[in-house]
Amino acid sequence: MTDIQVLPSRHAWAEIGAQLLAEALQAGLNERGRAAIAGAGGSTPSPIYERLSRSSLDWPRVTVTLVDERWVPENDPASNAALLRRTLLKGAAAEAEFVGLAQGAPTVDRSALLAARLLDGRVEQLDAILLGMGEDGHICSMFPGSPTLKSLLDPSAGRTVLGVPPGRDGSAPPQERLSLNLAWLREARRVVLALSGAPKRAVFDREAGGDPEAQPVAALIASAPGLHVIWTEAAQ
């Protein structure tokens, strides 16, 4: 079982999350003169982004992208890119380079292809990744039962971005999405999985011992040597 760092409060949880990410980014800057981070959307990571934005990093040499994105315009309230601009890309961190996944293209698959090419040209390695987890056990947009899941979790695939179709019969996700695949997580210097609340802890404990070919959390644990899991009982 992967070790979980338990934090006594939401504040401490956010501080530790930001510290882990900043350390990984600084290591990339020290080694290569550049660094890169990919972040999740949703409400969970916002406090971590807020604290990370205040880190003393050489932000103009940092590339910021997303682990996944909804196939919506950036001005849509559901846009993960908009969330990063509100919470992370501000102050000194506004000088970072941002590479979104929802590129201007007529289809989600074409947008995924363009995003994959852009990231390959700009990101040698992801130094830091911040992930959340849904109550169905999904990370990034790797949804259990999705027809794209097998491709996203393929352990032999190189790093890429894939389009994710909407779920059928009311299953998640409700709309098309784009997602990094497992190779990005496997090659990252550090992956922080940030969980809060008792229900998320129960889901993680259930999924951690599952099938890496079918359950994203199990695949993450099996494939990402730089994984750090942080949890606080406080949901908000």
Side-chain angles (χ1 to χ4, degrees), residues 160-221:
T160 192
V161 181
L162 295 177
V164 178
R168 297 176 180 175
D169 303 321
S171 61
Q175 74 282 87
E176 291 177 302
R177 294 193 180 200
L178 304 100
S179 181
L180 302 188
N181 70 337
L182 185 65
W184 283 102
L185 311 184
R186 183 177 63 234
E187 297 174 8
R189 181 188 302 274
R190 176 169 291 169
V191 179
V192 176
L193 177 59
L195 309 173
S196 62
K200 291 289 183 73
R201 176 64 185 268
V203 171
F204 177 84
D205 290 344
R206 181 193 72 212
E207 296 291 311
D211 180 0
E213 295 186 2
Q215 291 168 269
V217 169
L220 175 67
I221 291 170

Side-chain angles (χ1 to χ4, degrees), residues 67-119:
V67 296
D68 69 339
E69 178 62 286
R70 297 171 177 87
W71 180 234
V72 296
E74 192 173 314
N75 60 3
D76 190 291
S79 167
N80 288 341
L83 172 72
L84 256 64
R85 292 193 187 280
R86 291 194 305 271
T87 59
L88 175 60
L89 298 172
K90 60 184 184 177
E95 298 298 316
E97 175 190 38
F98 177 68
V99 179
L101 300 185
Q103 298 295 318
T107 68
V108 69
D109 290 329
R110 179 63 179 169
S111 185
L113 178 62
L114 291 175
R117 289 176 177 172
L118 278 172
L119 290 176

Side-chain angles (χ1 to χ4, degrees), residues 8-152:
S9 68
R10 183 88 166 171
H11 174 80
W13 170 87
E15 290 287 349
I16 289 295
Q19 178 184 329
L20 288 167
L21 297 169
E23 288 173 352
L25 289 169
Q26 188 60 59
L29 289 167
N30 292 344
E31 290 180 11
R32 305 190 309 275
R34 290 205 60 84
I37 179 173
S43 59
T44 297
S46 293
I48 298 177
Y49 291 141
E50 294 279 355
R51 285 160 177 79
L52 181 60
S53 72
R54 301 193 291 270
S55 297
S56 298
L57 295 167
D58 190 356
W59 286 106
R61 295 182 179 273
V62 175
T63 298
V64 177
T65 189
L66 293 155
V67 296
D68 69 339
E69 178 62 286
R70 297 171 177 87
W71 180 234
V72 296
E74 192 173 314
N75 60 3
D76 190 291
S79 167
N80 288 341
L83 172 72
L84 256 64
R85 292 193 187 280
R86 291 194 305 271
T87 59
L88 175 60
L89 298 172
K90 60 184 184 177
E95 298 298 316
E97 175 190 38
F98 177 68
V99 179
L101 300 185
Q103 298 295 318
T107 68
V108 69
D109 290 329
R110 179 63 179 169
S111 185
L113 178 62
L114 291 175
R117 289 176 177 172
L118 278 172
L119 290 176
D120 263 341
R122 287 171 164 79
V123 177
E124 181 178 342
Q125 178 189 18
L126 282 173
D127 297 285
I129 294 178
L130 177 60
L131 296 177
M133 182 196 69
E135 293 191 5
D136 58 1
H138 83 266
I139 56 173
C140 303
S141 281
M142 302 172 179
F143 288 89
S146 168
T148 314
L149 184 63
K150 184 176 181 180
S151 296
L152 286 168

